[in-house]
Amino acid sequence: MYHKIRILIIVFTICFSCKKENNSEDYLDISALKARYSSGDYAQWPEPELDSLVNEEKFQDIGILPKVTFPENNVFSKEKAKLGKTLFFDPRLSVSGQIACASCHNPELAWTDNSTRSFGHDRQTGGRNSMTILNSAFAHNLFWDGRAESLEDQARFPIGDPLEMNEQLNIAVDKIADIEGYKPLFKAAFGNDSISLSRIQKAIATFERTVNSYKTPFDKFVAGDSTKLTDQEVLGLHLFRTKARCINCHNTPYFSDNLFHNDGQTLFGTKDEDFGRYNVTKNMDDIGKFRTPTLREVSRTGPWMHHGHFPSLLDIVEFYNLGNPAPIQKKYLGVGRDTLIPTTSPMLKRLNLEKPEIEALIAFMETLSSNKGRTLIPELPK
């Protein structure tokens, strides 16, 4: 494997010598790349290969997550986080009394459920794969289609969704208010024991902002510990930012640009057809666009994509390597349907990655996961 990696680095040398003659020596061997990426100085990193559609002025490279900030209208307190955690695990917010937020966001499963699509009320199957809540404090919009503008806003959707918790919001609030054990928790969090939907949302959002990854091998490596990534993983990191083009969408320390793209997965004309962002905005340009998911913890959050149809990281890389061909079969067109044909993002192109490069890329993505840690399940109030 090391011999193959050395060969690939030599190929990079030839390619980059045409584009960056003054820097060609930086690509002579893997040790040079490792030294630059683990220097602790991002200015020493090789330039990323960005698509012309990427706004370079707003572009932010990958790196270590900053400290979580809390909104001014919902400042952090440990009492509020404790209340939010309790509500997150409480199935009494659902009409059946059996489904909690944690049912689809299990801490033992990287805060998702590792299912293609989650089961909800009456064992109904949801329409999309459950996204992890890990590091969700860094998301600008929530859900695959971005219909929630904040974690506070997001907290109300699952409760009222007939496929999820299927409870009327006012009734959910009344049920929590009828539980005497909740009153001291609300008083500690908000100053008095008044219980409202807004306070429930704020508490859950506060807790979710505390659910973050531990330091990953990648984080430790770019902070200066060159031993944390192997030669293969360093090559994968470099491919991620260059030939594999992942950096175009999976950028920033959150490993997501927080934007919406059509990656050819609308599944037009099938039973799983999903127009994504368009369902929220009704803007024709948004047909088939979905929010770029974070790649942090990605090796633990499968199956992948909004529909959960990709069972391995290899499947995903192979898919993008082909350039995401998404032909539209004419048999699916009908009256008015031709105006709904999704257009795949022009940023997606055939990559021509070779097998060792694919293996290196996957190896790097696996360095974005941290230890599971342990989450203590709270005792529910009575």
Side-chain angles (χ1 to χ4, degrees):
M1 177 59 68
Y2 182 77
H3 178 67
K4 292 180 179 179
I5 291 173
R6 294 277 298 187
I7 293 176
L8 287 171
I9 294 297
I10 293 173
V11 172
F12 278 129
T13 303
I14 297 172
C15 294
F16 277 98
S17 64
C18 298
K19 297 171 62 178
K20 295 178 138 188
E21 292 182 2
N22 60 328
N23 287 333
S24 62
E25 69 275 7
D26 297 326
Y27 302 92
L28 291 176
D29 56 49
I30 198 70
S31 61
L33 282 175
K34 178 174 283 191
R36 295 184 70 179
Y37 279 118
S38 66
S39 65
D41 179 8
Y42 295 163
Q44 294 189 34
W45 288 17
E47 288 293 322
E49 292 185 16
L50 299 180
D51 190 272
S52 60
L53 296 176
V54 175
N55 187 328
E56 293 192 29
E57 292 184 358
K58 294 183 178 181
F59 171 81
Q60 184 182 2
D61 214 329
I62 56 177
I64 300 171
L65 282 172
K67 185 178 179 180
V68 172
T69 58
F70 290 77
E72 293 182 1
N73 64 350
N74 191 20
V75 297
F76 172 80
S77 75
K78 62 181 182 180
E79 294 82 7
K80 197 188 301 179
K82 177 182 177 181
L83 170 60
K85 181 178 182 180
T86 305
L87 290 164
F88 190 91
F89 283 89
D90 199 330
R92 290 171 292 189
L93 283 169
S94 68
V95 70
S96 66
Q98 298 179 353
I99 300 172
C101 303
S103 298
C104 298
H105 302 285
N106 187 335
E108 297 296 323
L109 301 173
W111 296 92
T112 179
D113 61 3
N114 293 157
S115 298
T116 300
R117 287 185 287 277
S118 303
F119 289 112
H121 179 66
D122 279 348
R123 300 297 288 177
Q124 296 178 91
T125 303
R128 293 177 182 151
N129 178 264
S130 291
M131 303 181 93
T132 180
I133 67 165
L134 273 163
N135 309 304
S136 58
F138 299 97
H140 296 174
N141 303 87
L142 284 303
F143 296 105
W144 284 100
D145 55 20
R147 64 185 180 273
E149 298 181 354
S150 68
L151 284 171
E152 288 80 5
D153 186 29
Q154 180 275 333
R156 67 185 171 89
F157 281 93
I159 298 173
D161 192 317
L163 292 179
E164 295 186 57
M165 301 169 83
N166 193 39
E167 183 60 282
Q168 296 180 49
L169 292 174
N170 62 318
I171 294 178
V173 174
D174 289 343
K175 287 195 297 185
I176 296 301
D178 286 339
I179 300 171
E180 286 296 320
Y182 263 117
K183 291 182 179 180
L185 294 179
F186 274 86
K187 184 175 182 179
F190 294 102
N192 59 60
D193 61 10
S194 176
I195 298 175
S196 66
L197 177 61
S198 175
R199 286 185 169 186
I200 290 174
Q201 290 174 267
K202 287 183 176 181
I204 292 175
T206 298
F207 165 66
E208 289 177 331
R209 289 191 178 96
T210 70
V211 180
N212 298 296
S213 298
Y214 295 96
K215 292 294 184 183
T216 67
F218 164 78
D219 295 322
K220 297 172 183 177
F221 175 79
V222 299
D225 188 346
S226 62
T227 67
K228 293 300 180 182
L229 262 61
T230 66
D231 288 354
Q232 183 190 41
E233 291 162 350
V234 171
L235 176 59
L237 163 60
H238 190 61
L239 288 163
F240 186 95
R241 298 179 67 252
T242 54
K243 181 179 178 181
R245 297 174 58 82
C246 313
I247 194 70
N248 287 300
C249 297
H250 296 284
N251 48 58
T252 79
Y254 181 49
F255 280 79
S256 167
D257 60 6
N258 272 306
L259 299 176
F260 299 86
H261 303 279
N262 184 336
D263 63 355
Q265 289 296 290
T266 307
L267 305 182
F268 186 83
T270 73
K271 64 181 178 62
D272 292 318
E273 177 181 278
D274 192 338
F275 288 159
R277 184 67 172 159
Y278 169 80
N279 295 331
V280 176
T281 66
K282 302 306 178 185
N283 183 337
M284 300 295 285
D285 292 337
D286 288 335
I287 292 178
K289 290 184 178 180
F290 293 88
R291 182 165 71 87
T292 305
T294 177
L295 293 187
R296 285 191 171 271
E297 309 293 341
V298 68
S299 67
R300 302 170 53 209
T301 56
W304 295 273
M305 300 291 196
H306 73 270
H307 44 55
H309 288 177
F310 285 69
S312 74
L313 292 177
L314 176 60
D315 292 311
I316 294 176
V317 175
E318 291 282 18
F319 174 74
Y320 283 113
N321 195 31
L322 292 173
N324 304 8
I328 302 300
Q329 299 184 41
K330 292 184 178 179
K331 68 178 181 178
Y332 294 136
L333 297 177
V335 177
R337 294 282 288 170
D338 56 338
T339 62
L340 297 174
I341 297 176
T343 301
T344 302
S345 172
M347 284 201 294
L348 303 173
K349 302 173 182 178
R350 194 176 184 91
L351 302 175
N352 297 312
L353 295 173
E354 299 177 359
K355 183 177 179 181
E357 293 175 310
I358 291 173
E359 292 171 347
L361 185 60
I362 293 173
F364 165 66
M365 288 194 289
E366 290 174 344
T367 72
L368 302 178
S369 294
S370 61
N371 294 328
K372 290 194 296 185
R374 184 186 178 198
T375 299
L376 297 178
I377 308 303
E379 181 177 348
L380 298 182
K382 299 188 186 325

